[in-house]
């Protein structure tokens, strides 16, 4: 016969099958009952004072819940926090990354990797209903600077700002108090943030890559997520745009662009854009990757040609 109480089962169900011994007792279990459950294989010890039910997979979320239950002072961070938030371009890592107080030794478990630093502010952490305490999106982006390359970091920053939504000011503020000579990665984070193309955040990794490549090549006046009202079509938003020459750049990688309905809608929008003097360049998979430098050169030449044409027409 089960020795669980209905309250304890509800808690375990909502906390990835994990609970502390204090929580189990507060929900009606006794020390003897907990011991019996362990002996019967219905509870497994995970960390000091923390148990799990074997019926629930001990996946990454469950491990996060276990660490947070055992050590309330810890905050899930780095690649683990990135996965909690569903961020892209993360390194593969089976360990649970946490922020721990300096000199702290939260656990000897090899699957927990602490980053010992000054205590994280309350406003930079989120306490979830499932018991997981995770760094905010913007703090996670800052922490990921130590784990990913520049292109991936920029892409992550764009996604954080898009999904949050998180403002540029919020992205900068999270780094200010961490700027010390011993943390060069904070300066790298701010340099990457400064590289952002003006405008709304990129909606995909490739949008981030293309915009960054065009900006690095010296294209002036580039904007991201440029909004425009097109006659006969309505409000539209271009992935990238150079308004001074009325050139829009769309990165068409989603399958819907290859479907009949998607192609018709794209053609409708392109015709509407053309009616007010805008040209739309659509980039496909073959235009990216190793072909990106050639694509950037072609786009720069197109911008120059349109600029010269507009000057010749006296439109500027």
């Amino acid at each position: 016969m089960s020795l669980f109480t209905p309250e304890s089962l509800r808690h375990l169900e909502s906390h990835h099958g994990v609970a502390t011994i204090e929580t189990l007792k507060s929900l009606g279990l006794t020390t003897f009952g907990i011991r019996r459950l362990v002996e019967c294989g219905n509870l497994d010890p995970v960390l000091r004072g923390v148990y799990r039910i074997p019926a629930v997979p001990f996946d990454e979320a469950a491990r996060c819940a276990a660490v947070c239950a055992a050590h309330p002072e810890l905050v899930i961070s780095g690649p683990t926090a990135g996965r909690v938030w569903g961020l892209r371009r993360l390194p593969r890592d089976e360990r649970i990354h946490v922020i721990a107080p300096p000199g702290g030794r939260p656990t000897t478990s090899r699957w927990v990797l602490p980053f010992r630093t000054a205590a994280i502010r309350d406003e930079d952490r989120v306490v979830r209903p499932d018991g997981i305490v995770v760094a905010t999106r913007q703090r996670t982006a800052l922490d990921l600077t130590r784990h990913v390359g520049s292109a991936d970091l920029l892409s992550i920053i764009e996604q954080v700002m898009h999904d949050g939504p998180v403002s540029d000011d919020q992205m900068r503020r999270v780094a200010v108090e961490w700027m010390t000579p011993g943390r060069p990665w904070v300066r790298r984070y701010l340099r990457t943030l400064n590289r952002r193309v003006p405008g709304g955040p990129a909606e995909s990794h490739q949008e981030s890559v293309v915009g960054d490549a065009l900006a690095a090549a010296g294209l002036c006046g580039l904007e991201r997520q440029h909004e425009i009202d097109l006659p006969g079509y309505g409000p539209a938003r271009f992935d990238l745009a150079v308004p001074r020459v009325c050139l829009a750049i769309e990165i068409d990688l989603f399958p819907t662009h290859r479907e009949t309905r998607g192609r018709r809608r794209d053609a409708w929008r392109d015709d509407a854009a053309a009616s007010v003097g805008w040209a739309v360049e659509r980039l496909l998979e073959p235009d990216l990757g190793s072909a990106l430098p050639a694509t950037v050169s072609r786009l720069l030449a197109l911008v120059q040609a349109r600029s010269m044409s507009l000057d010749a027409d006296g439109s500027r």
Side-chain angles (χ1 to χ4, degrees), residues 88 158 162 201-205 207 224-225 237 239 254:
R88 58 185 177 243
E158 295 287 348
H162 176 272
E203 296 182 345
S204 71
H205 174 65
E207 286 182 32
R224 194 184 295 286
Q225 300 299 317
R237 188 173 57 194
D239 293 339
F254 289 105

Side-chain angles (χ1 to χ4, degrees), residues 290-313:
S290 60
L292 182 59
T295 299
V296 168
S297 297
R298 174 170 62 82
L299 291 172
L300 291 176
L302 181 58
V303 169
Q304 184 177 17
R306 288 185 63 82
S307 179
M308 293 175 63
S309 176
L310 288 173
D311 286 344
D313 291 343

Side-chain angles (χ1 to χ4, degrees), residues 7-148:
E7 295 79 9
S8 64
L9 286 174
R10 282 195 291 269
H11 176 89
L12 289 165
E13 182 181 6
S14 63
H15 287 70
H16 306 282
V18 170
T20 65
I21 188 170
E22 290 82 5
T23 297
L24 292 174
K25 288 181 177 180
S26 71
L27 297 174
L29 273 67
T30 65
T31 302
F32 173 76
I34 293 172
R35 187 182 307 121
R36 282 288 304 278
L37 287 168
V38 173
E39 292 171 352
C40 295
N42 292 326
L43 271 182
D44 285 339
V46 181
L47 296 170
R48 182 184 295 273
V50 176
Y51 295 85
R52 61 175 287 265
I53 52 175
V56 177
F58 197 49
D59 56 15
E60 185 169 64
R63 296 197 301 275
C64 287
V67 170
C68 293
H71 302 280
E73 76 279 8
L74 302 184
V75 179
I76 304 298
S77 66
T80 312
R83 287 187 285 273
V84 169
W85 290 117
L87 300 181
R88 58 185 177 243
R89 314 303 297 181
L90 298 175
R92 296 185 180 275
D93 191 338
E94 298 296 326
R95 294 173 296 184
I96 304 300
H97 292 255
V98 299
I99 293 176
R105 188 177 178 83
T107 178
T108 58
S109 298
R110 293 185 177 181
W111 49 269
V112 180
L113 183 61
F115 175 59
R116 296 176 178 84
T117 187
I120 185 171
R121 301 178 304 177
D122 288 342
E123 56 264 40
D124 290 334
R125 69 172 75 196
V126 174
V127 181
R128 302 188 348 161
D130 60 1
I132 296 175
V133 182
V134 62
T136 59
R137 285 183 172 90
Q138 56 267 36
R139 174 59 200 238
T140 296
L142 174 64
D143 290 336
L144 284 170
T145 307
R146 299 181 293 110
H147 300 274
V148 301

Side-chain angles (χ1 to χ4, degrees), residues 97-242:
H97 292 255
V98 299
I99 293 176
R105 188 177 178 83
T107 178
T108 58
S109 298
R110 293 185 177 181
W111 49 269
V112 180
L113 183 61
F115 175 59
R116 296 176 178 84
T117 187
I120 185 171
R121 301 178 304 177
D122 288 342
E123 56 264 40
D124 290 334
R125 69 172 75 196
V126 174
V127 181
R128 302 188 348 161
D130 60 1
I132 296 175
V133 182
V134 62
T136 59
R137 285 183 172 90
Q138 56 267 36
R139 174 59 200 238
T140 296
L142 174 64
D143 290 336
L144 284 170
T145 307
R146 299 181 293 110
H147 300 274
V148 301
S150 294
D152 286 344
L153 177 61
L154 180 60
S155 183
I156 288 168
I157 287 173
E158 295 287 348
Q159 185 183 357
V160 165
M161 296 182 69
H162 176 272
D163 292 352
V166 180
S167 69
D168 183 85
D169 182 62
Q170 289 174 302
M171 297 296 289
R172 294 181 188 280
R173 193 186 312 139
V174 76
V176 170
E177 69 175 84
W178 299 94
M179 289 186 64
T180 64
R183 298 188 181 107
W185 49 275
V186 177
R187 292 191 295 276
R188 177 172 168 254
Y189 168 83
L190 290 171
R191 287 196 302 269
T192 304
L193 191 58
N194 288 336
R195 274 173 39 205
R196 291 193 64 247
V197 172
E203 296 182 345
S204 71
H205 174 65
Q206 290 298 345
E207 286 182 32
S208 175
V209 169
V210 173
D212 190 45
L214 288 169
L219 179 56
C220 297
L222 184 65
E223 295 181 9
R224 194 184 295 286
Q225 300 299 317
H226 180 78
E227 296 183 352
I228 185 172
D229 192 59
L230 299 175
Y233 181 89
R237 188 173 57 194
F238 297 130
D239 293 339
L240 293 161
V242 188

